[in-house]
Amino acid sequence: MPTTLPETVAFDWVVTGGAAGLLLGLAIGLVIGWVTRIKLKARLEAREAELAARSDADSERERALSIAAERLRATFDELADQQFRSHSETFLKLARENLSVHHERARGDLAAREQAIENLVRPIREALQRTDAQIQELEKARRETHGGLQAQLEAMAASHAALSVETRNLVNALRRPEVRGQWGEITLRRLVELAGMVEHCDFTAQAHLATATGSIRPDLVINLPEGRQLVVDVKTPLDAYLEAVQAENETDRRAATARHAS
């Protein structure tokens, strides 16, 4: 349907008025936004200034706290040092007192223990002294006995040496026939005397008898009952016996002993 003029004019007015209102609204919005921005910027700057002031205050407080902490630490260290010195002196004083008490007590205990040990050791020491005296006496007696034994041993050694010499002389002498004969005669006389016979009664030694062939001299004439007589002429074969005694091995000794027995 075709538009009429009044309607067209009305529409144009509406459109023109709406545009103007829109522009006005935009302008008002811009003004309000600008004002708001200014306010916000001012508030932000104020907040930043406040924050900066707070930051400075915080830094100042931190410095103050640090200084206070240093002073407090120094004061605490000084107080602690004073307290430590005081406690150390008190502790040392108490320790000295306790040590003095313990020292006196230990000295008393030590004296008592020394006395107790002395009482225990005294009998042992006296017994040791007596034992030492007895040992010295025994040692003296031992030395005297040793000296006597030494003298006796020396005398025995001298006697043994002399006996060895005499034995050697006897052996050498017994190798001579006349000496062996005399030794045999003496032994025969001792034998009949030990049998209870009496010379010139029971026997006659070295009696000279005259015979048709000449005189004889037996070593011993034993008188028997009924006028009988036993004539004895002693012989002493010692060569084989002496060889047996001086033999260096068993074979020679047995051979010499067998010759002596035969």
Side-chain angles (χ1 to χ4, degrees), residues 1 6 18 42 52-53 60 67 72 81 135 158-159 161 165 169 190 201 220 234 236:
M1 179 175 183
E60 186 66 24
I67 294 172
L72 182 62
D81 187 50
I135 291 174
S159 300
V165 173
N169 294 333
R190 290 288 300 153
C201 178
L220 195 69
V234 63
T236 311

Side-chain angles (χ1 to χ4, degrees), residues 9 47 49 63 71 101 112 120 127 133 139 176 200 221 244 253 256:
V9 173
R47 180 67 63 181
R63 287 195 298 272
R71 292 179 179 176
V101 172
L120 290 175
E139 181 64 20
R176 298 166 57 187
H200 306 299
V221 177
R253 188 184 68 80

Side-chain angles (χ1 to χ4, degrees), residues 16 24-25 82:
T16 302
L24 180 61
Q82 292 178 358

Side-chain angles (χ1 to χ4, degrees), residues 120-190:
L120 290 175
V121 171
R122 186 184 299 111
I124 300 175
R125 183 171 57 249
E126 293 176 354
L128 289 176
Q129 290 175 354
R130 291 193 299 269
T131 304
D132 184 65
Q134 293 176 358
I135 291 174
Q136 291 180 359
E137 292 178 358
L138 290 175
E139 181 64 20
K140 181 179 179 182
R142 187 193 65 80
R143 286 195 298 267
E144 293 177 354
T145 303
H146 180 72
L149 289 175
Q150 185 69 25
Q152 292 180 5
L153 289 175
E154 291 176 356
M156 289 177 63
S159 300
H160 180 72
L163 181 61
S164 298
V165 173
E166 294 297 331
T167 303
R168 191 177 301 109
N169 294 333
L170 178 60
V171 170
N172 294 330
L174 289 176
R175 291 183 182 275
R176 298 166 57 187
E178 65 274 14
V179 176
R180 287 204 304 269
Q182 293 176 1
W183 183 74
E185 294 172 1
I186 294 173
T187 304
L188 181 59
R189 179 187 292 273
R190 290 288 300 153

Side-chain angles (χ1 to χ4, degrees), residues 62-252:
E62 289 179 358
R63 287 195 298 272
L65 288 174
S66 178
I67 294 172
E70 291 294 333
R71 292 179 179 176
L72 182 62
R73 186 179 297 108
T75 303
F76 178 77
D77 291 341
E78 184 178 359
L79 290 175
D81 187 50
Q82 292 178 358
Q83 193 70 18
F84 177 75
R85 287 197 299 270
S86 176
H87 288 172
S88 298
E89 292 176 357
T90 304
F91 175 76
L92 290 174
K93 182 178 179 181
L94 292 175
R96 291 192 190 97
E97 292 177 355
N98 290 330
L99 285 175
S100 177
V101 172
H102 287 297
H103 181 68
E104 293 296 329
R105 186 179 299 170
R107 182 181 299 174
D109 294 340
L110 180 61
R113 291 180 181 178
E114 288 179 352
Q115 185 63 35
I117 293 173
E118 177 65 22
N119 294 333
L120 290 175
V121 171
R122 186 184 299 111
I124 300 175
R125 183 171 57 249
E126 293 176 354
L128 289 176
Q129 290 175 354
R130 291 193 299 269
T131 304
D132 184 65
Q134 293 176 358
I135 291 174
Q136 291 180 359
E137 292 178 358
L138 290 175
E139 181 64 20
K140 181 179 179 182
R142 187 193 65 80
R143 286 195 298 267
E144 293 177 354
T145 303
H146 180 72
L149 289 175
Q150 185 69 25
Q152 292 180 5
L153 289 175
E154 291 176 356
M156 289 177 63
S159 300
H160 180 72
L163 181 61
S164 298
V165 173
E166 294 297 331
T167 303
R168 191 177 301 109
N169 294 333
L170 178 60
V171 170
N172 294 330
L174 289 176
R175 291 183 182 275
R176 298 166 57 187
E178 65 274 14
V179 176
R180 287 204 304 269
Q182 293 176 1
W183 183 74
E185 294 172 1
I186 294 173
T187 304
L188 181 59
R189 179 187 292 273
R190 290 288 300 153
L191 179 62
V192 295
E193 287 178 352
L194 289 174
M197 297 181 183
V198 180
E199 190 176 4
H200 306 299
C201 178
D202 298 318
F203 69 91
T204 302
Q206 301 296 327
H208 290 271
L209 299 175
T211 64
T213 57
S215 61
I216 60 174
R217 192 184 66 174
D219 292 328
L220 195 69
V221 177
I222 299 176
N223 300 317
L224 298 176
E226 299 178 357
R228 292 176 299 174
Q229 292 181 332
L230 179 62
V231 180
V232 180
D233 187 44
V234 63
K235 300 297 181 182
T236 311
L238 287 179
D239 292 337
Y241 176 76
L242 295 177
E243 291 178 4
V245 172
Q246 297 175 354
E248 295 181 356
N249 54 67
E250 186 65 19
T251 303
D252 295 341

